[in-house]
Amino acid sequence: MARDTETPYKLDKPEKLNDLLRADGADDCAGCRIVGGGAFLGLGAYSYFSGMSQIEQQRAKIIASKSFLGVRSRKAGIVATSLGLVWMGIYRLVM
């Protein structure tokens, strides 16, 4: 009977991360991955195209404001954000 109970030493020892990740890994169905990945891919595309069109519409105001962040750095920010969202979509589809 004493063998079935948990000892204080065993309770203090943390569980291995690999064992926890392996037990938690297969919770997603294929449809969930497709919808989630497609949502991130669509959001990345929308972010890129709408952001670039907004910058082109506001180009004169941005240049006239002589802001520290010019047109090029704003475009780089939009590209980085869009690429991050697309990467999350690809990761969601594959992993």
Side-chain angles (χ1 to χ4, degrees):
M1 187 159 137
R3 293 182 188 164
D4 293 338
T5 61
E6 298 289 332
T7 63
Y9 172 74
K10 197 172 189 181
L11 292 174
D12 284 341
K13 210 166 121 179
E15 296 182 45
K16 293 183 179 179
L17 179 62
N18 290 335
D19 295 338
L20 291 173
L21 291 175
R22 194 175 307 119
D24 190 40
D27 290 345
D28 277 344
C29 63
C32 298
R33 288 177 186 234
I34 291 170
V35 169
F40 276 117
L41 290 173
L43 188 59
Y46 175 77
S47 173
Y48 177 78
F49 288 114
S50 69
M52 289 298 177
S53 71
Q54 289 293 319
I55 284 182
E56 291 304 320
Q57 289 174 358
Q58 301 291 327
R59 179 184 280 278
K61 289 182 183 177
I62 294 170
I63 293 172
S65 71
K66 297 184 181 182
S67 172
F68 175 71
L69 298 174
V71 174
R72 185 182 296 173
S73 62
R74 291 172 197 229
K75 281 187 174 184
I78 289 172
V79 168
T81 302
S82 299
L83 283 176
L85 290 167
V86 167
W87 174 248
M88 288 192 310
I90 292 170
Y91 181 82
R92 180 77 176 120
L93 286 171
V94 175
M95 300 302 214

